[in-house]
Amino acid sequence: SVALDGTESEDPDNANLNYQWESMDGYNANLIYSDSSIATFTFPEISSDQEFMFLLTVNDGEHFVKDTLVVTYLNNDVPVADAGNDFITCEATFIIDGSRSYDLNWNVLSYQWTLLNGPLLLNGASSPELIVTSPADLDLDTDFRIELKVNDGYCEGVDTVTVTIKGNLCPIADAGETVRVPKFENRTVILNASSSYDPEGSELTFLWTAPDGSTSSDSTVLVNDLTSGQQDSYARYRYDLRVTDNEGATAENYVEVIFSDFSAPRSPKVFAVADHNRILVSWDASSEASIDSLTGYADFEGYKLYRSTDNGITWGGAEDKLYDFDGNFVGWIPYAQFDLSYDEDVDHCIYTHELCESDEPR
């Protein structure tokens, strides 16, 4: 429905006015309060966008004047805004997710977040995900209301969420980034939690838990490779960190320490089909998603294909053998080789085999 508003009508002599609204399309039965300055019109069912025309007649008992109004009614559903459920948090920074909002007509949505009360800092107010920074000077648990409006270019949907922020904010635990150590270095790693902090400035206590269950209350902890000296070994250790502020609020984080040599990409699944005087060879792309155990990089470069006619005893003829500078045999020339092109290698993302986004390292 829509409100038809004629309150801007006026009489030069300030006489009382009488009003009469009419549908020029034959929908007078859909008008409510048609003899008032503001009438309500209920739209009929439509299958496409449609214009509706209305005639307003006003009189002061002696003189009658008329005006027309055109209302364009779009065959479009109001988008559904979803700011999520109300929740309680002690996090210094948290995210409110509005990505569950949707439009039945598949129109592209725009987002607008608005703080309805209080001193919160909002980042990404025009994005589906809102980043909120809590105030560090609260004495009591405090409710904050945040409104989400989604617009499909025609109509707007609204939802609100209430966030209760605890009077004592939780500390921030920072165990550091993953540490990767080459096996040949055989060195001790020092994990340091000193980057952890409390948003309100209180002192923190630390609790490290090692893979074997032992604990330490220092801000630093030493990690040694228990597989040192073992051939082709790979060791991955997880250390859990818990920090506590002076009011008992806690936060947790963990870090992994990896002792490893460089690792080859995983072997793909190879398929062979016999055809007329030839073999069709294919394989899956699992190798391209391999992550090197030492660097953590997706450093795939390409494929080398070898052919043997004696069940793998040799992989070519005498002319296919490779030798080092000392004349030692070191391998075979591949039957075929498929490397990433320059452009593919440049765009290859360091930490994933997918194409990088604009701000990801290559």
Side-chain angles (χ1 to χ4, degrees):
S1 63
V2 64
L4 308 177
D5 190 347
T7 56
E8 294 296 319
S9 305
E10 59 181 344
D11 184 81
D13 301 320
N14 292 322
N16 291 329
L17 296 178
N18 301 309
Y19 299 83
Q20 185 60 53
W21 288 93
E22 298 176 62
S23 167
M24 301 178 69
D25 306 298
Y27 293 105
N28 284 330
N30 295 51
L31 281 168
I32 304 175
Y33 311 119
S34 60
D35 57 353
S36 301
S37 59
I38 300 177
T40 300
F41 179 74
T42 301
F43 292 104
E45 292 290 333
I46 62 173
S47 58
S48 61
D49 298 350
Q50 185 172 329
E51 290 185 346
F52 293 85
M53 297 187 65
F54 301 93
L55 175 67
L56 172 62
T57 303
V58 295
N59 72 84
D60 60 0
E62 296 182 26
H63 304 286
F64 292 76
V65 293
K66 301 177 183 293
D67 194 16
T68 58
L69 172 69
V70 177
V71 176
T72 302
Y73 184 44
L74 303 177
N75 183 33
N76 178 67
D77 296 290
V78 176
V80 178
D82 187 348
N85 297 324
D86 299 344
F87 63 95
I88 301 172
T89 185
C90 67
E91 300 295 330
T93 302
F94 56 90
I95 293 176
I96 302 178
D97 187 2
S99 62
R100 290 183 297 273
S101 304
Y102 63 92
D103 183 73
L104 290 173
N105 307 109
W106 297 94
N107 295 312
V108 176
L109 294 178
S110 61
Y111 297 79
Q112 186 60 51
W113 297 90
T114 304
L115 178 64
L116 300 181
N117 69 294
L120 297 183
L121 177 63
L122 307 183
N123 287 309
S126 58
S127 302
E129 291 188 346
L130 178 70
I131 302 174
V132 183
T133 301
S134 303
D137 56 355
L138 296 178
D139 296 322
L140 301 172
D141 297 357
T142 306
D143 292 341
F144 296 90
R145 295 179 65 244
I146 299 174
E147 178 185 76
L148 170 63
K149 292 182 178 179
V150 294
N151 192 298
D152 65 356
Y154 307 100
C155 302
E156 188 172 75
V158 181
D159 191 25
T160 59
V161 60
T162 298
V163 182
T164 302
I165 298 179
K166 304 291 289 183
N168 177 45
L169 296 181
C170 289
I172 308 298
D174 186 353
E177 299 294 330
T178 299
V179 181
R180 299 177 183 272
V181 182
K183 296 286 288 187
F184 54 79
E185 288 189 4
N186 191 26
R187 64 179 172 88
T188 298
V189 173
I190 301 176
L191 301 180
N192 194 334
S194 60
S195 294
S196 305
Y197 67 95
D198 184 75
E200 296 156 320
S202 72
E203 293 292 327
L204 298 178
T205 59
F206 303 89
L207 181 65
W208 286 98
T209 302
D212 61 3
S214 61
T215 60
S216 171
S217 58
D218 294 330
S219 61
T220 60
V221 65
L222 303 181
V223 180
N224 291 297
D225 181 13
L226 301 181
T227 64
S228 178
Q230 299 180 19
Q231 188 72 17
D232 298 327
S233 59
Y234 170 83
R236 189 186 197 106
Y237 305 105
R238 168 171 165 161
Y239 281 75
D240 293 289
L241 170 67
R242 173 181 289 184
V243 297
T244 306
D245 68 10
N246 58 7
E247 295 188 43
T250 64
E252 296 181 351
N253 194 220
Y254 73 90
V255 62
E256 290 186 324
V257 181
I258 298 172
F259 296 91
S260 175
D261 292 316
F262 296 105
S263 60
R266 71 173 66 96
S267 298
K269 290 184 178 180
V270 180
F271 309 93
V273 178
D275 199 3
H276 297 290
N277 296 319
R278 63 178 181 173
I279 300 294
L280 301 178
V281 180
S282 62
W283 53 89
D284 65 19
S286 58
S287 299
E288 299 172 27
S290 298
I291 302 296
D292 187 272
S293 60
L294 176 57
T295 64
Y297 295 163
D299 55 0
F300 175 82
E301 293 292 340
Y303 299 96
K304 291 182 179 180
L305 184 65
Y306 296 86
R307 184 180 67 169
S308 175
T309 58
D310 52 14
N311 294 320
I313 298 175
T314 62
W315 295 95
E319 70 279 6
D320 298 315
K321 291 184 176 182
L322 294 174
Y323 299 89
D324 63 16
F325 286 108
D326 296 323
N328 299 311
F329 171 69
V330 293
W332 302 88
I333 297 175
Y335 180 75
Q337 184 166 338
F338 307 94
D339 294 327
L340 294 181
S341 68
Y342 174 80
D343 290 336
E344 290 172 331
D345 200 28
V346 167
D347 288 332
H348 203 68
C349 201
I350 289 178
Y351 295 107
T352 173
H353 72 289
E354 305 291 345
L355 290 178
C356 285
E357 298 295 336
S358 60
D359 58 346
E360 292 180 321
R362 290 173 168 81

